[in-house]
Amino acid sequence: MDNHTAYFQKQRSRLLGLAYRMLGTPADAEDVLHDAWMRWDAQDKNRLDDPEAWLVAVTTRLALDRLRHAKVERAHYTGPWLPEPLIETSEQPEEQAERTETLTLSFLVLLERLSAEERAAFLLNEVFDYSHAETADMLGITEETCRQRVHRARQRLRQDRPRFTSDAQTQRRLLERFAVALEQPTEENLYALLAADAVHVADGGGAVSATLRPLYGAERIARLYLQINLMEQGHQVQRQLHVLNGAPALLTWADGKLVTVIWIECNDDQIVSLQVLRNPAKLARLEAVTKSQAGTSLH
């Protein structure tokens, strides 16, 4: 491996994290990295004062172009759109700080509410810790414009952030209780786990059954899972806990096929929101990887 290839590989994890946070889809993020590599390979490296900044700028601009097109497509998506989980095969300790909260599905869903331009400026400045001047240079805008975009993004995210906070340990505990309740569900034991104003958002992509709009209220969500339990009758169902996108997630398998992944937000003792991924196209890569990994099995 030559020095220029080795340098790109050293930056790859960071660039992939940026592209994924921009797009919410691993395949698109990988495509962006491939295009960035092609441009890097063709670039005269001796003319670059700051190779890292050049790579980040190219990756961001490529992701911006894809995101603008993706937003048009997502406007016509069947039902709610949720990001596809990022499957990481290695962990870099120095990147843990920028990997956890800003990789959760809750955070990625919030980012969807920003314009493509606001999203890019916010991620570079707030998540990847580039200054306003550096971010502006990467995006080809003035520093004042950059400050405005970051400020607007920060305000919008602050307004839309959930009113509750929960740590991974609490999420895991409530997911375990939820999984147990799903084994022999009653409206009462499900209702007890859900906040009265809980919200349920499911992404089936039009390919499988899923609620086409957010479902509000503990009673309605409890009834939904009673219905799901009836549909599971006669199938071999297994549930496992994994950590996906920096947060605990409950995976449900039916007859050896991954059919559902659930992430939650909660207060101290109740689930406040459920983000449910059922789109088979988004579960395919995860299914292949998790079959070779051991999760916490909940029968």
Side-chain angles (χ1 to χ4, degrees):
M1 185 183 296
D2 61 56
N3 290 338
H4 298 311
T5 302
Y7 185 83
F8 184 89
Q9 290 301 321
K10 182 180 178 181
Q11 300 293 324
R12 189 181 189 284
S13 179
R14 186 174 179 82
L15 298 176
L16 180 64
L18 171 60
Y20 174 69
R21 287 172 176 87
M22 282 289 294
L23 298 163
T25 306
D28 286 341
E30 291 282 1
D31 287 345
V32 164
L33 251 66
H34 177 266
D35 292 345
W37 160 253
M38 296 297 290
R39 298 191 182 197
W40 170 256
D41 191 44
Q43 176 67 29
D44 182 357
K45 318 301 187 296
N46 295 322
R47 300 180 61 182
L48 300 179
D49 295 329
D50 189 339
E52 178 190 324
W54 187 92
L55 280 170
V56 172
V58 167
T59 299
T60 303
R61 293 179 188 182
L62 288 168
L64 261 173
D65 289 341
R66 280 186 176 263
L67 183 57
R68 292 183 184 113
H69 291 295
K71 280 185 171 291
V72 175
E73 294 174 358
R74 290 171 194 175
H76 301 284
Y77 193 79
T78 301
W81 182 94
L82 291 176
E84 179 183 339
L86 179 66
I87 312 301
E88 287 286 354
T89 56
S90 63
E91 296 289 339
Q92 298 294 331
E94 67 273 12
E95 294 172 0
Q96 288 301 309
E98 69 183 30
R99 189 182 291 269
T100 52
E101 180 187 353
T102 64
L103 269 180
T104 64
L105 248 70
S106 295
F107 185 77
L108 294 174
V109 169
L110 280 178
L111 291 179
E112 284 293 306
R113 304 180 188 184
L114 304 179
S115 71
E117 293 74 18
E118 289 170 346
R119 187 167 180 163
F122 178 84
L123 286 173
L124 289 174
N125 181 249
E126 292 285 322
V127 176
F128 289 88
D129 204 29
Y130 292 104
S131 68
H132 287 101
E134 291 169 324
T135 300
D137 189 52
M138 290 175 183
L139 296 176
I141 58 178
T142 66
E143 186 172 343
E144 179 57 29
T145 298
C146 177
R147 288 182 182 277
Q148 291 174 359
R149 288 182 183 176
V150 172
H151 178 70
R152 284 198 303 268
R154 194 185 297 122
Q155 277 191 320
R156 188 166 302 173
L157 294 180
R158 188 180 299 122
Q159 291 169 356
D160 293 339
R161 272 187 184 276
R163 66 189 183 284
F164 47 84
T165 57
S166 55
D167 58 30
Q169 184 177 358
T170 303
Q171 290 172 336
R172 184 180 183 87
R173 175 173 54 82
L174 280 170
L175 271 177
E176 288 174 343
R177 290 175 58 194
F178 185 63
V180 170
L182 291 179
E183 293 306 305
Q184 293 183 321
T186 65
E187 191 165 346
E188 291 74 20
N189 66 15
L190 289 171
Y191 187 83
L193 286 170
L194 299 163
D197 57 351
V199 58
H200 178 280
V201 178
D203 177 350
V208 295
S209 61
T211 51
L212 295 178
R213 294 180 180 84
L215 193 64
Y216 295 94
E219 291 184 11
R220 297 178 71 191
I221 297 171
R223 288 198 298 268
L224 170 66
Y225 278 92
L226 287 174
Q227 205 171 19
I228 290 173
N229 178 258
L230 291 176
M231 295 171 63
E232 289 178 345
Q233 300 302 313
H235 297 279
Q236 185 178 0
V237 176
Q238 183 183 29
R239 292 184 172 88
Q240 294 175 318
L241 280 177
H242 280 262
V243 175
L244 295 174
N245 282 55
L250 179 64
L251 280 60
T252 298
W253 301 75
D255 301 326
K257 184 175 181 61
L258 181 62
V259 294
T260 305
V261 179
I262 299 176
W263 292 263
I264 63 169
E265 293 291 344
C266 49
N267 54 33
D268 289 338
D269 56 3
Q270 287 185 312
I271 297 170
V272 183
S273 76
L274 300 94
Q275 294 163 326
V276 183
L277 188 60
R278 286 185 44 77
N279 187 338
K282 295 183 180 181
L283 295 177
R285 290 205 325 162
L286 178 58
E287 178 177 338
V289 172
T290 51
K291 277 184 175 178
S292 63
Q293 295 178 345
T296 302
S297 181
L298 302 167
H299 297 282

